[in-house]
Amino acid sequence: MASDLPGKRGSILAWALYDWANSAFATVVMAGFFPIFFREYWSRGQASETITFHLGAVNSGASLVIALVAPVLGAMADRGHAKKRFLAAFTVLGILGTAGMFSLGGGHWMRAAALYTLGIVGYMGANIFYDALIVAVARPQEYDRVSALGYGLGYLGGGGLFAICVALTLWPTHFGLADAADGVRWSFLLTAIWWGVFTWPLLLRVAEPGSALPAIGWARTTRAGWHQLLNTAHEIRRLRVIGSFLLAYWLYIDGVNTVIRMAVNYALSLGFGSQQLIAALLLTQFVGVPAAIGFGYLGERIGTRTAILLGIGVYVLATIWAANMHSTWEFYAIAAVIGLVQGGVQSLSRALYARLIPAGKSGEFFGFYNMLGKFAAVIGPLLIGLTALVSDDARLSILSILLLFISGAILLWRLPLHNIGANWSDSETSKPH
């Protein structure tokens, strides 16, 4: 994976290691232990449908916060040449929220929700600047593979720490812990430490990318950020391909994010055991390691868009299967299938968007990208929570995300990629879509 950029392989690996770092939060906390602990420990005694609604509302509220500020933050980072500083600040916020769960006792679901919100805001806010830094370490023709490398390392790192944390909960006395709940609390603290330690390579090795915009003071940067946000919105309206892609992405990534955040709660509401679900999540992580990297090469071979559409199609089939599953083996099978495409859809979407955006404006344009992706996570979890609360039918609620997958896929398929500027790789335009 040669590159003409300073640092070459070292800077690419340092950048990708941040996925290894923050995927610990996504896997151990967001997808794994928080939904279980929230249902069985912090919300003990409440009705199942109420817990699902609360969890959906918490996820949606946290996503809404970052969705509203993401574009302005991106524009400010471009003006202030401060992507790495913003990434570090949001990472610290996420680490503090995650570590705070360590000492939280049973029954305090509102405090848990507040700390979880801090964690999600930190996680998603930092990702705005992490995604934008891909242009500092890779050339456009490398985006598929470099983006996929990040997701592959994310699956490996997140899955590795998750395996350690699972051991803490299954055999707590072997580690000097009182019980499984004590193991979960220590898992939150370990995640915070892991996230912090493996953020350092990016901060030390990845150079802040240049910008055509002049560096100015922070007060002027804030004002300029708002002004630039409005200009970016007008520019996106003018650049119809980018606008169309963002709409398609907003729809299908809603389904992806909702599956990540609500799958465990859905299975718990059907009566599956928490230990079985944890094992299935581990399966998803380790299937995802080679699959995410392989999707990068698949995108180069058959076209980035075609590979994304393939992944969305798998999500549609898996969702239908999940709504009709009754056995534990089916949950394991669905988890493995999701693991094959989850990282690929996310990484190739990032790579495709990186090719579309104007040079020197990655921060502000990735601000919009993350805003739409995270705003989608406002709608999906809340939609599932409300559907479960109103219908008292968890299976019906999971089917609601099919509309998002299908409509997003249709818009992406119709996207005119034949004229998107010089950043587009020759291999993509030569492939059928």
Side-chain angles (χ1 to χ4, degrees), residues 52-69 113-114 116-122 124 261-262 374-383:
T52 297
F53 173 72
H54 286 164
L55 184 62
V58 169
N59 275 293
S60 297
S63 299
L64 180 61
V65 171
I66 201 64
L68 294 176
V69 301
Y116 183 59
T117 298
L118 289 180
I120 289 184
V121 169
M124 294 194 300
R261 299 186 186 196
M262 302 297 289
K374 307 321 176 190
F375 188 74
V378 173
I379 297 172
L382 189 59
L383 178 62

Side-chain angles (χ1 to χ4, degrees), residues 47 50 66 121 171 185 208 299 312 336 353 356 373-374 391 406 413:
T50 301
I66 201 64
V121 169
W171 305 289
R185 284 193 292 269
E208 184 80 20
I312 295 173
Y353 187 67
L356 297 175
K374 307 321 176 190
S391 68
I406 294 171
W413 176 66

Side-chain angles (χ1 to χ4, degrees), residues 90-372:
F90 275 99
T91 295
V92 169
L93 180 64
I95 288 172
L96 292 176
T98 304
M101 299 180 198
F102 169 71
S103 58
L104 194 60
H108 297 292
W109 73 267
M110 293 185 69
R111 294 181 188 177
L115 290 170
Y116 183 59
T117 298
L118 289 180
I120 289 184
V121 169
Y123 169 76
M124 294 194 300
N127 270 343
I128 296 171
F129 308 103
Y130 170 61
D131 288 345
L133 284 169
I134 192 174
V135 301
V137 300
R139 298 175 299 181
Q141 61 267 33
E142 296 176 314
Y143 288 162
D144 285 353
R145 281 179 289 164
V146 172
S147 183
L149 175 64
Y151 274 97
L153 287 177
Y155 276 112
L156 188 60
L161 181 61
F162 193 35
I164 295 171
C165 294
V166 168
L168 294 179
T169 63
L170 293 179
W171 305 289
T173 56
H174 287 73
F175 299 92
L177 305 178
D179 51 24
D182 204 17
V184 173
R185 284 193 292 269
W186 274 98
S187 296
F188 294 139
L189 185 59
L190 285 175
T191 299
I193 295 170
W194 180 284
W195 193 353
V197 168
F198 290 107
T199 297
W200 280 105
L202 182 148
L203 298 178
L204 295 175
R205 292 294 305 274
V206 175
E208 184 80 20
S211 174
L213 301 172
I216 53 180
W218 282 106
R220 292 180 60 196
T221 293
T222 303
R223 292 193 299 270
W226 281 102
H227 180 71
Q228 188 170 317
L229 169 62
L230 297 177
N231 289 339
T232 305
H234 288 300
E235 194 168 357
I236 287 175
R237 290 180 61 187
R238 180 178 62 82
L239 301 172
R240 298 183 61 183
V241 174
I242 295 179
S244 298
F245 170 78
L246 287 174
L247 178 58
Y249 173 77
W250 174 63
L251 291 167
Y252 70 73
I253 211 66
D254 176 274
V256 173
N257 288 338
T258 301
V259 168
I260 292 171
R261 299 186 186 196
M262 302 297 289
V264 166
N265 180 77
Y266 169 69
L268 286 171
S269 70
L270 295 182
F272 291 93
S274 58
Q275 291 187 357
Q276 297 168 326
L277 303 183
I278 288 172
L281 285 176
L282 275 174
L283 178 63
T284 300
Q285 293 304 304
F286 290 111
V287 168
V289 174
I293 296 174
F295 247 84
Y297 290 93
L298 182 65
E300 291 182 344
R301 186 172 183 83
I302 69 173
T304 309
R305 172 171 56 182
T306 304
I308 295 172
L309 289 171
L310 176 63
I312 295 173
V314 171
Y315 264 106
V316 169
L317 296 176
T319 301
I320 296 172
W321 188 0
N324 293 280
M325 70 176 178
H326 294 87
S327 303
T328 303
W329 75 264
E330 293 181 278
F331 191 81
Y332 280 97
I334 294 170
V337 169
I338 292 298
L340 289 173
V341 299
Q342 179 174 283
V345 170
Q346 293 171 310
S347 70
L348 291 185
S349 296
R350 178 170 62 189
L352 176 55
Y353 187 67
R355 290 190 177 95
L356 297 175
I357 61 178
K361 296 185 177 181
S362 61
E364 61 176 288
F365 274 84
F366 267 108
F368 267 89
Y369 176 80
N370 280 275
M371 178 193 71
L372 291 179

Side-chain angles (χ1 to χ4, degrees), residues 43 150 197 398:
S43 301
V197 168
I398 202 69

